[in-house]
Amino acid sequence: MRIDLSPTSWGRVVVVTAAGTAFFIAVAFFVDSFNFPALSPQALLWAKLTDLFLPLFLGGSFLFFLMWKMRQLAITQKELSVIAATDSLTAVFNRGAFSMLVEAYLDQARNQTVADAGALLIVDADHFKSINDRLGHDCGDQALRLIAATIKGQLHGADIVGRIGGEEFAVFLPGADAARSFLVAESIRRRIREAEFAPDGRPWPLSVSIGGIAFSGPTTYHDMFQVADRHLYKAKSNGRDQVSFESQRGALAGGTMH
């Protein structure tokens, strides 16, 4: 059984406390051992007990308190890093965190530690301004939360989603081929179209346009984003509520309008 020694784990607290206390006891015995030959049996027993229990209680208590506070600090830092990387409205990654994660994956792909393939999708809410103008910004926020939750519901494993603009989201599908990527994009589009959005009891249709690219081989986030954004513009220009998608090799996966 492997012990979790991460900064936020109790395993680290226990192991460091035990090891440190044992070290303190060993040092106490070593330093005091030079006096042992001159001591009477009773004094020797008392010295050994002192060398054992004094570091055990004082050193052990100090180490436990120190490691406990360090664990609390590590947990706080971890929570703050999550907050800093998360969009507060939709609870998905923000633009900076999303691009950083994608670029990290592409770096690993270049080093051949992960699959050198995947896809980037850009999802944009159709006619979103009309929601804010006619229903109010609170309803617009509800729509964004619903869209984000629907997107997350279609993702699996290491797939990630981020909010990269006001009503614009991006999805990265590491290791996915063109066929699966297009199916995911279509599933997102269809599920959002089918989602029930009725703020204050007033039904309002939601739809998204999606531009995407599947890559196989070396690429950059900037290059993928440009291609996906171009396809998003194409989906918007062709009537919205559809997917425009291609693979890096140039084979158009297709688009469907409803």
Side-chain angles (χ1 to χ4, degrees):
M1 181 179 176
R2 186 176 180 179
I3 300 176
D4 181 8
L5 297 179
S6 64
T8 59
S9 70
W10 277 109
R12 186 186 182 97
V13 175
V14 173
V15 169
V16 172
T17 300
T21 303
F23 174 76
F24 290 155
I25 293 173
V27 170
F29 268 91
F30 174 76
V31 173
D32 213 15
S33 64
F34 297 101
N35 299 321
F36 287 169
L39 299 177
S40 65
Q42 185 176 2
L44 178 61
L45 176 62
W46 178 254
K48 289 182 177 180
L49 291 175
T50 301
D51 293 340
L52 173 63
F53 288 107
L54 190 61
L56 181 64
F57 288 112
L58 293 183
S61 299
F62 170 77
L63 279 175
F64 180 81
F65 177 77
L66 176 63
M67 294 307 300
W68 175 62
K69 296 300 290 184
M70 290 180 65
R71 176 179 177 270
Q72 286 185 318
L73 179 61
I75 291 174
T76 300
Q77 289 176 330
K78 186 176 181 179
E79 291 174 344
L80 288 174
S81 67
V82 171
I83 293 173
T86 303
D87 175 61
S88 59
L89 176 64
T90 59
V92 300
F93 288 114
N94 58 31
R95 186 186 186 99
F98 178 84
S99 61
M100 182 182 66
L101 289 171
V102 175
E103 288 171 348
Y105 181 89
L106 296 177
D107 285 340
Q108 290 181 310
R110 281 189 285 271
N111 296 327
Q112 299 181 339
T113 57
V114 295
D116 196 3
L120 177 69
L121 310 175
I122 300 179
V123 184
D124 189 82
D126 296 329
H127 305 295
F128 186 75
K129 187 175 183 298
S130 64
I131 298 178
N132 284 331
D133 291 345
R134 298 184 183 183
L135 303 180
H137 287 276
D138 286 344
C139 292
D141 290 345
Q142 292 178 38
L144 290 176
R145 284 192 287 266
L146 177 59
I147 290 172
T150 304
I151 293 174
K152 287 193 293 184
Q154 307 310 305
L155 305 183
H156 304 282
D159 301 343
I160 61 173
V161 55
R163 184 184 178 198
I164 60 173
E167 63 270 17
E168 195 169 73
F169 298 85
V171 175
F172 184 64
L173 308 171
D177 59 18
R180 176 183 175 253
S181 303
F182 181 71
L183 288 176
V184 171
E186 264 295 303
S187 179
I188 290 172
R189 185 201 63 79
R190 187 174 61 254
R191 293 298 183 185
I192 292 174
R193 185 65 178 175
E194 296 170 351
E196 294 184 5
F197 180 61
D200 300 325
R202 294 172 291 177
W204 190 277
L206 292 178
S207 69
V208 294
S209 299
I210 302 176
I213 176 175
F215 70 94
S216 179
T219 188
T220 66
Y221 176 69
H222 179 264
D223 290 344
M224 284 195 301
F225 192 91
Q226 283 191 319
V227 175
D229 194 50
R230 185 167 66 247
H231 278 280
L232 174 64
Y233 179 79
K234 182 179 178 180
K236 291 282 190 182
S237 300
N238 288 342
R240 296 181 171 84
D241 189 21
Q242 62 180 278
V243 175
S244 180
F245 189 90
E246 74 173 58
S247 72
Q248 194 181 48
R249 295 174 180 175
L252 186 64
T256 304
M257 183 170 66
H258 297 266

